Amino acid sequence: MPRILLGKPIIDALKARSLERVALLKNNGVDPALAIVRVGARPDDLSYERTAIKRAESLGIALRLFEIEEDAGQDALMKAIDEVNADSGIQGCLMFRPLPKGYDEEAACEALDPRKDIDGIGRAALARVFTGRGEGFAPCTAAACLEMLDGYDVSIEGKRVVVVGRSLVIGRPVAMMLLERNATVTLCHSRTANLPSVMRDADIVVLATGRAKAYGADCFREGQVVLDVGINVDADGNLCGDADFEAAEAVLGEHGAITPVPRGVGGVTTSVLMKHVLDAAERCRQ
């Protein structure tokens, strides 16, 4: 049986370090604060929001919630972003996406101050991920993947990594972050020829396609480390990842490892969000 890489130990370690950082910031007169901008009331946004609020409260990070009615329009959203940008007491902002139909998402993302863009939604924030220069923040889920690997002492340098999924939220950023850590990275997608064969050749596989149980036993081999970032609902209404967990578990063997869904990478994402708030607050101090 492979090692099951649970998110909780990583969350606990990040929390312990974050509590120390919050105390130090407050001792130096800085009260870290997170803004959440939400348009409408999608159930998945509300679920993540509740988790973020609970995590912020547990750390002593202040939180301001900007709730915008779905039919309020672009001007109302831009006004909220302007307010976040102008408030020196807010160091980081999370804006939920995708925005409802009729909103200009690109304009909203680009309007957010890059110094407060702690989830890497704007071009200026992503520039750091793709160029290695600047102070932008990586998308939190992509950063959570590296936190998982580091937290479980999985070596990255020199390893062959296959990332399946090419979105700007996870796939492309995590590929660049792994490349920066000296992995040899192959970025795959739905048009990749012989995908199962390509995946089996990897030491580390990152799944980020949002396709429930799409990757079965033929996609894995013994000894691999599999990070399953997909959060889906299967035919029985249960949460599941992109991997067919039972099939992968049977193939990976005792020298392999895999993250479950739920209780894997997903929970670490909110902890990384808080880490980024504190990074931004410390930069403001300097």
Side-chain angles (χ1 to χ4, degrees):
M1 298 288 285
R3 182 167 54 151
I4 307 301
L5 306 181
L6 296 172
K8 189 177 186 306
I10 311 305
I11 293 168
D12 291 345
L14 284 168
K15 180 178 180 179
R17 177 64 184 132
S18 292
L19 285 169
E20 294 175 358
R21 296 173 72 191
V22 169
L24 185 59
L25 281 164
K26 291 188 175 184
N27 286 340
N28 285 276
V30 178
D31 291 316
L34 165 68
I36 293 179
V37 176
R38 172 172 47 79
V39 182
R42 286 180 18 163
D44 53 344
D45 289 348
L46 293 173
S47 176
Y48 188 84
E49 182 181 290
R50 287 191 293 269
T51 302
I53 291 172
K54 183 177 179 181
R55 194 68 47 84
E57 289 176 345
S58 72
L59 295 173
I61 295 174
L63 192 139
R64 286 195 61 190
L65 180 59
F66 293 80
E67 298 177 274
I68 301 167
E69 295 294 330
E70 185 170 341
D71 59 358
Q74 187 77 19
D75 288 345
L77 172 59
M78 300 304 278
K79 182 179 178 182
I81 294 172
D82 287 344
E83 188 174 341
V84 169
N85 289 342
D87 190 338
S88 61
I90 294 173
Q91 294 89 16
C93 177
L94 168 68
M95 183 177 75
F96 284 113
R97 297 175 300 155
L99 294 174
K101 186 177 180 180
Y103 283 83
D104 186 338
E105 185 168 306
E106 182 177 358
C109 291
E110 294 308 312
L112 181 61
D113 185 338
R115 295 169 298 181
K116 300 186 180 189
D117 180 8
I118 55 172
D119 198 22
I121 64 175
R123 285 193 294 265
L126 282 173
R128 168 65 182 85
V129 177
F130 286 89
T131 69
R133 296 187 296 273
E135 294 185 336
F137 294 96
C140 292
T141 305
C145 290
L146 273 76
E147 292 285 351
M148 290 290 289
L149 293 173
D150 289 341
Y152 281 100
D153 295 319
V154 176
S155 176
I156 297 173
E157 184 168 352
K159 299 298 183 181
R160 296 167 297 174
V161 182
V162 164
V163 178
V164 188
R166 53 181 169 178
S167 76
L168 282 172
V169 177
I170 305 171
R172 295 190 210 184
V174 80
M176 293 301 102
M177 295 168 75
L178 290 162
L179 187 63
E180 190 174 0
R181 294 280 296 272
N182 299 316
T184 299
V185 183
T186 301
L187 184 58
C188 298
H189 46 80
S190 60
R191 302 290 182 87
T192 299
N194 302 315
L195 180 57
S197 176
V198 175
M199 291 173 63
R200 288 195 304 271
D201 194 46
D203 301 305
I204 300 170
V205 176
V206 181
L207 297 174
T209 61
R211 298 175 58 201
K213 298 183 177 180
Y215 306 98
D218 63 329
C219 296
F220 307 104
R221 63 167 173 81
E222 186 174 358
Q224 289 180 307
V225 174
V226 179
L227 296 185
D228 193 345
V229 189
I231 299 179
N232 315 289
V233 178
D234 66 17
D236 298 320
N238 300 312
L239 279 178
C240 66
D242 288 354
D244 182 332
F245 185 85
E246 289 76 15
E249 189 178 34
V251 172
L252 294 172
E254 62 179 338
H255 299 296
I258 186 170
T259 60
V261 178
R263 299 184 300 130
V265 178
V268 179
T269 298
T270 316
S271 295
V272 171
L273 181 73
M274 301 304 153
K275 179 183 178 182
H276 286 179
V277 173
L278 300 180
D279 289 341
E282 288 170 352
R283 291 176 186 176
C284 292
R285 250 188 69 203
Q286 296 171 359

